[in-house]
Amino acid sequence: MTYGVYGLALGMIGRIASIQGWQMGLSILTGLILLVIGLVQLFKFKNQDFIKLQTRLVQPIAELMGRWLYRPGGSFFAGVLNGILPCGMLYMAAAAAMNTESSLTSFYFMVMFGLGTLPLLLIFSFLGNFIRTYFKMNFSKWLPFLYILMGIWFLLRGANLDIPYLSPLLHVDGAMNCHII
C-alpha cells in the first residue's frame, strides 16, 4: 500500500514534468542522481555525518514498528512503516515510477514492485541462514552496479537518442506541443 501511494505521488510529479516539458530533463536528473549514488557506493565514500543522520531518521520508525508489530492489526501498520524505511532498490523503482506516462501506471508499477519483492522477502526470512550457508553471494556488492546501470539508462532515455525500446516516443500535436508517449 505504501509503495502504491509513492507511485501515485511520483506519477503526479512525472506527469507535471511531462506537461511542463521537463520530462527529459527530469530523466537526466534522475540518471545523474542514480549514477552518483552508484559511484559513491562503488568507491566506498563514507560520510560519518550522513550515516549518523540516517540512523537518527530511521531509528524512530524502527522503534514505532517494534511497538506496533505484536498488537492486533499492528502488523499492517508495521508493514506500512516498513515501506518508509530507506532501500536502494526502492530508490531505483521510484525513479522508474516517476518517469512513467501517468499516475495510474506509476501506481501499478510501484504496487507490482512491492508484490514482486514479497516472494524473495519471504524466502529469505524463512531460509535466510540456510541460503547464507550455501550461497556466499553478497547482493549489496552488486547494488552499486545496478545504480550505475539504471543511471545510464535514465541518461540515455533523457537524451532521446531514438534508441529502440529506450528512447521515449514523442508525439507532436497540431499546436506543436510535445508529449511523451
Side-chain angles (χ1 to χ4, degrees):
M1 189 172 97
T2 305
Y3 290 171
V5 171
Y6 284 162
L8 283 174
L10 293 167
M12 283 188 255
I13 292 168
R15 185 67 184 145
I16 289 168
S18 178
I19 290 170
Q20 296 294 328
W22 304 335
Q23 187 71 27
M24 292 188 335
L26 183 62
S27 185
I28 290 171
L29 178 65
T30 302
L32 288 173
I33 291 170
L34 290 174
L35 201 58
V36 167
I37 291 171
L39 292 171
V40 164
Q41 286 187 0
L42 183 65
F43 293 111
K44 310 269 190 251
F45 296 118
K46 292 193 178 180
N47 183 331
Q48 292 302 321
D49 293 331
F50 179 74
I51 293 170
K52 287 178 187 176
L53 175 66
Q54 187 177 14
T55 302
R56 274 189 295 196
L57 293 174
V58 170
Q59 190 66 33
I61 297 169
E63 288 174 4
L64 192 58
M65 283 174 59
R67 276 187 262 149
W68 275 91
L69 191 58
Y70 297 107
R71 293 182 183 176
S75 58
F76 172 78
F77 188 68
V80 168
L81 289 173
N82 187 49
I84 297 171
L85 294 174
C87 169
M89 295 301 287
L90 175 61
Y91 299 151
M92 285 187 271
M98 192 168 27
N99 286 280
T100 61
E101 70 248 11
S102 71
S103 294
L104 190 59
T105 305
S106 181
F107 170 81
Y108 288 140
F109 178 84
M110 290 302 292
V111 167
M112 291 301 134
F113 169 76
L115 291 174
T117 61
L118 187 61
L120 282 176
L121 287 173
L122 289 173
I123 288 170
F124 278 97
S125 66
F126 290 120
L127 302 174
N129 290 333
F130 173 78
I131 291 171
R132 273 186 237 114
T133 302
Y134 293 102
F135 299 101
K136 301 290 184 188
M137 188 174 107
N138 184 356
F139 181 72
S140 63
K141 289 182 180 179
W142 291 95
L143 198 54
F145 295 106
L146 289 174
Y147 274 118
I148 292 168
L149 180 68
M150 290 295 291
I152 292 169
W153 181 73
F154 278 107
L155 286 172
L156 289 173
R157 185 178 188 277
N160 197 23
L161 301 173
D162 289 329
I163 301 170
Y165 304 105
L166 180 63
S167 299
L169 298 173
L170 295 178
H171 171 71
V172 180
D173 63 16
M176 297 304 287
N177 294 321
C178 275
H179 304 282
I180 296 178
I181 300 174

